[in-house]
Amino acid sequence: MSSRLQVAIVAGTLGLSALLPAAFAPAQEVPETPDALPDGPGRDETFYLCTACHGAAIIRQQGMSRELWDQTIDYMVARQQMAPPDAALRTVIVDYLAATFPPRRRAPANPFLP
């Protein structure tokens, strides 16, 4: 292999390696605020209770009935070691979640599947 080719390969590798850390660096985390959730009564309480364990995105992705939101809190307390909210706070949070993230309409069944 010619020395010019070796130099080009090394230079190319070094140049590429200088770019790789930036290309594969994790995105900087943007601190979440209550504004990550839609405005409404109970938004701040919901944000601070829920984001103690997970991001607001997981809340926004859901759509459940009031009963399922309430059961989800039971699940998190029982299985995820979440501190149980007092009754008044729980009502505020479930009211907010049920009003803001209600059940989503499901797509009709695919007629081409058995």
Side-chain angles (χ1 to χ4, degrees):
M1 183 180 306
S2 77
S3 61
R4 279 189 179 187
L5 182 58
Q6 289 174 335
V7 169
I9 290 172
V10 169
T13 302
L14 291 175
L16 181 60
S17 66
L19 296 176
L20 287 178
F24 292 102
Q28 287 187 346
E29 290 187 32
V30 176
E32 287 189 307
T33 65
D35 292 334
L37 297 175
D39 195 20
R43 175 185 73 178
D44 290 357
E45 294 88 341
T46 301
F47 174 82
Y48 288 112
L49 180 77
C50 297
T51 62
C53 296
H54 56 73
I58 197 166
I59 302 165
R60 293 189 309 262
Q61 294 169 351
Q62 307 306 309
M64 296 189 276
S65 68
R66 179 179 179 72
E67 294 74 27
L68 282 177
W69 280 116
D70 201 43
Q71 289 173 8
T72 299
I73 291 176
D74 289 337
Y75 168 80
M76 290 182 193
V77 168
R79 299 288 182 111
Q80 305 298 323
Q81 288 76 45
M82 181 178 102
D86 64 47
L89 178 59
R90 184 179 180 129
T91 299
V92 167
I93 290 169
V94 173
D95 287 348
Y96 173 79
L97 292 170
T100 309
F101 303 103
R104 295 194 178 118
R105 186 175 152 252
R106 302 282 185 224
N110 185 336
F112 300 104
L113 294 177

